[in-house]
Amino acid sequence: MSALTTIGLPVALGIIMFGLGLSLTAGDFARVLKQPKAVIIALLCQLIILPAICFGLVLAFQLPPVLAVGMMMLAASPGGTTANLYSHLFRGDVALNISLTAVNSVISVVTLPIITNFAIMYFDPFDSQLGMQWSKVLEVFAIVLVPVAIGMLVRRFWPGFARAMDKPVRIASVVILIVVIAGAVASNWTLLVENFARLSLITIVFCVISLTIGYLVPRWLRIGKRQAIAASFEIGIHNATLAIVIAQTVLNSVELSLPAAVYGVLMFFIAFGFGFLIRDRSAAADALEPADDAAETASPA
């Protein structure tokens, strides 16, 4: 692997997670207590239903062991910060997105290694080599939570600086991420092309299912439409960058990162189309149920 990948990817993810920390306060975690039903339903979908569905898809598509583990790692990754933007564009409850991203990022430090280790034991892609050991779990902790904690501390003690840095950090993270991913794609172009056709269909199916479950399950359980839209994007837009970084820098496998790389490209287009679909349906439902919606969607947006 090139230095651009081994150094650039963790740096890019660190900047992204630092930017997330700049947008978080302790109140974002406390808000979970004010709307526990929506949070619990979304987390159950994210942490239990999606990995189970992904496992079934991997078996149905008969992926090679390394790609199968890569898909499971992707399924175990928390929602990406881009989910907040999509939720805002399509009239979701952005406050719920922020809370879910905060809570899910913390929980994933435990659940991601557990699901990844299960997949490694089941599919055995590394010739019986053991998966994530304790030291590697600590690496995941450092990759995910340390930059977020630093960002939150900056926001807490230097709020003016945090507000001023919010936009530059967002722009820098996008630019660095594009450069690093472009470099990683170029250096592994042959490997990516060889596996793109094999991975594109399963990643598309998984993305559509993730978005659909994230919207329909909360609605079936009488969660407000704006909250369901937020849950849909939080569950459907995975932090593919995190999965790529762990695959390439913690587990030292470029091939393991391919499902996340393909998903990371396709999910934005799928989520955009899905957003128009549920926004239109929500608008129609709003016209029919104005009183119910007002009661259901009251939240600190």
Side-chain angles (χ1 to χ4, degrees), residues 54 57 67 70 76 91 96 117 137 155 162 164 168 173 185 194-195 202 238 252 254 258 265 267 271 282 284:
C54 184
L57 287 175
L67 298 182
R91 303 173 187 171
L96 176 60
N117 274 334
V137 173
R155 166 90 181 246
S173 65
V185 167
E194 287 174 354
N195 290 278
I202 188 173
H238 292 273
N252 299 312
V254 173
L258 292 178
V265 173
M267 70 178 178
S282 294

Side-chain angles (χ1 to χ4, degrees), residues 216 245 294:
L216 290 183
V245 169

Side-chain angles (χ1 to χ4, degrees), residues 18-290:
F18 174 72
L20 172 62
L22 288 178
S23 68
L24 292 177
T25 65
D28 295 316
F29 292 90
R31 191 186 297 117
V32 171
L33 301 176
K34 298 179 182 179
Q35 43 185 354
K37 184 178 178 181
V39 172
I40 291 170
I41 290 171
L43 289 177
L44 287 176
C45 290
Q46 179 96 34
L47 301 174
I48 297 176
I49 297 177
L50 279 194
I53 288 175
C54 184
F55 184 69
L57 287 175
V58 164
L59 295 178
F61 278 82
Q62 298 181 331
L63 288 185
V66 174
L67 298 182
V69 174
M71 279 297 301
M72 292 299 294
M73 181 183 295
L74 171 68
S77 298
T81 54
T82 315
N84 302 348
L85 173 61
Y86 275 78
S87 188
H88 173 71
L89 288 175
F90 296 105
R91 303 173 187 171
D93 185 345
V94 179
L96 176 60
N97 276 105
I98 293 172
S99 297
L100 282 172
T101 301
V103 173
N104 212 358
S105 294
V106 174
I107 295 175
S108 68
V109 172
V110 176
T111 57
L112 199 153
I114 288 174
I115 293 173
T116 301
N117 274 334
F118 162 76
I120 289 173
M121 286 188 294
Y122 185 90
F123 294 106
D124 194 19
F126 303 131
D127 297 325
S128 299
Q129 193 181 92
L130 293 176
M132 283 191 184
Q133 300 306 298
W134 176 242
S135 61
K136 295 184 177 181
V137 173
L138 291 177
E139 285 185 54
V140 175
F141 175 86
I143 289 170
V144 176
L145 291 188
V146 171
V148 173
I150 293 173
M152 290 185 67
L153 287 173
V154 171
R155 166 90 181 246
R156 172 68 177 83
F157 293 105
W158 300 282
F161 177 77
R163 284 192 294 271
M165 289 299 295
D166 182 59
K167 188 173 181 179
V169 167
R170 288 174 186 268
I171 294 172
S173 65
V174 171
V175 172
I176 293 172
L177 188 60
I178 290 173
V179 171
V180 171
I181 289 179
V185 167
S187 61
N188 299 285
W189 179 254
T190 302
L191 188 61
L192 184 62
V193 169
E194 287 174 354
N195 290 278
F196 187 85
R198 174 182 282 165
L199 288 169
S200 56
L201 183 56
I202 188 173
T203 50
I204 289 171
V205 170
F206 181 59
C207 186
V208 171
I209 290 176
S210 299
L211 291 163
T212 303
I213 285 176
Y215 181 73
L216 290 183
V217 171
R219 292 301 289 141
W220 284 337
L221 296 174
R222 303 185 65 80
I223 295 298
K225 284 178 284 295
R226 290 182 63 231
Q227 293 177 325
I229 291 171
S232 176
F233 289 122
E234 192 68 31
I235 291 166
I237 299 180
H238 292 273
N239 192 338
T241 310
L242 174 61
I244 292 170
V245 169
I246 292 174
Q248 295 196 14
T249 64
V250 178
L251 295 176
N252 299 312
S253 173
V254 173
E255 195 173 1
L256 196 66
S257 70
L258 292 178
V262 174
Y263 191 95
V265 173
L266 296 177
M267 70 178 178
F268 294 114
F269 301 101
I270 299 169
F272 198 70
F274 189 84
F276 278 105
L277 179 64
I278 59 177
R279 187 185 69 168
D280 291 342
R281 288 186 174 183
S282 294
D286 285 346
L288 295 173
E289 308 173 10

